[in-house]
């Protein structure tokens, strides 16, 4: 029986951070479902650095259809969860259905992969993140620390069922570890 992976996202999700895991999961034969606040074509963005700027720039990228609204997700139907970064995490974490979805994967010890700004989603679950260890984009270090977790200053880190990556250049290692946890 094929495994099933849930990716939670919204508009302004970083394009590489959703497309790479999405296609990698499909390649592995996993049924891969994208959930968002409402079913729609998501507008992804590209984050990149320009010499001389102290932070990244954002440009519109590709569209990608979501398959299901958060309110209609039964997390028990899924074997693993992926939370990409970009700007989407800052507002999808406010959706009343999303914390319960994410909570399920931690309480059931199912594989969870987070990258970059996805730490903002985990910040709404301080009771589950307390005493955990994970990495994220450096600007999210305060979000990690505010939950009582330890920010790990590495590009990749695995803590039990949680594999975390600093940013999109770390996706090969992140997905390799996520796939190992899915076995």
């Amino acid at each position: 029986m094929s495994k099933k992976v849930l990716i939670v996202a919204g508009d302004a999700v970083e394009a590489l951070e959703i497309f790479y895991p999405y296609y990698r999961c499909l390649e592995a034969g996993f049924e891969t479902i994208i959930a968002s606040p409402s079913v729609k074509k998501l507008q992804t963005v590209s984050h990149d650095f320009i010499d001389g700027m102290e932070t990244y720039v954002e440009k519109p990228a590709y569209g990608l259809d979501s398959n299901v609204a958060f309110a209609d997700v039964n997390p028990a139907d899924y074997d693993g969860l992926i939370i990409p970064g970009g700007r989407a995490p800052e507002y999808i974490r406010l959706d009343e259905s999303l914390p319960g979805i994410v909570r399920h994967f931690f309480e059931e010890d199912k594989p969870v992969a987070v990258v970059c700004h996805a730490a903002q989603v985990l910040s709404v679950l301080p009771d589950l993140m307390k005493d955990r260890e994970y990495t994220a984009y450096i600007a999210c270090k305060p979000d990690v620390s505010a939950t009582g977790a330890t920010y790990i200053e590495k590009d990749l880190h695995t803590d039990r069922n949680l594999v975390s990556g600093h940013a999109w250049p770390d996706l090969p290692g992140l997905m390799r570890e996520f796939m190992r946890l899915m076995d």
Side-chain angles (χ1 to χ4, degrees), residues 29-168:
F30 298 159
E31 183 179 352
T32 308
I33 303 298
I34 297 172
S36 60
S38 63
V39 177
K40 63 176 291 197
K41 181 178 282 291
L42 299 174
Q43 177 60 57
T44 72
V45 297
S46 170
H47 288 158
D48 208 353
F49 291 89
I50 295 175
D51 286 341
M53 286 191 66
E54 295 173 348
T55 188
Y56 55 86
V57 295
E58 180 175 285
K59 301 173 189 168
Y62 306 100
L64 180 65
D65 290 330
S66 69
N67 310 108
V68 63
F70 293 154
D72 297 323
V73 169
N74 177 1
D77 293 342
Y78 298 90
D79 302 297
L81 174 67
I82 298 171
I83 310 174
R87 276 190 306 108
E90 74 186 33
Y91 78 90
I92 67 171
R93 66 182 170 174
L94 302 175
D95 186 286
E96 64 184 25
S97 298
L98 186 58
I101 293 168
V102 177
R103 178 175 294 283
H104 167 85
F105 288 89
F106 283 97
E107 290 178 346
E108 296 299 317
D109 202 33
K110 294 179 180 180
V112 177
V114 298
V115 62
C116 205
H117 285 76
Q120 293 175 318
V121 171
L122 301 183
S123 73
V124 300
L125 300 165
D127 61 312
L128 293 175
M129 295 301 105
K130 185 174 177 1
D131 300 324
R132 298 294 298 247
E133 296 180 344
Y134 54 104
T135 192
Y137 186 66
I138 191 65
C140 296
K141 183 177 181 178
D143 296 283
V144 174
S145 299
T147 68
T150 300
Y151 180 84
I152 301 298
E153 303 217 11
K154 295 190 317 188
D155 293 340
L156 293 168
H157 187 72
T158 301
D159 177 18
R160 294 174 273 174
N161 68 318
L162 175 62
V163 56
S164 55
H166 182 256
W168 57 259

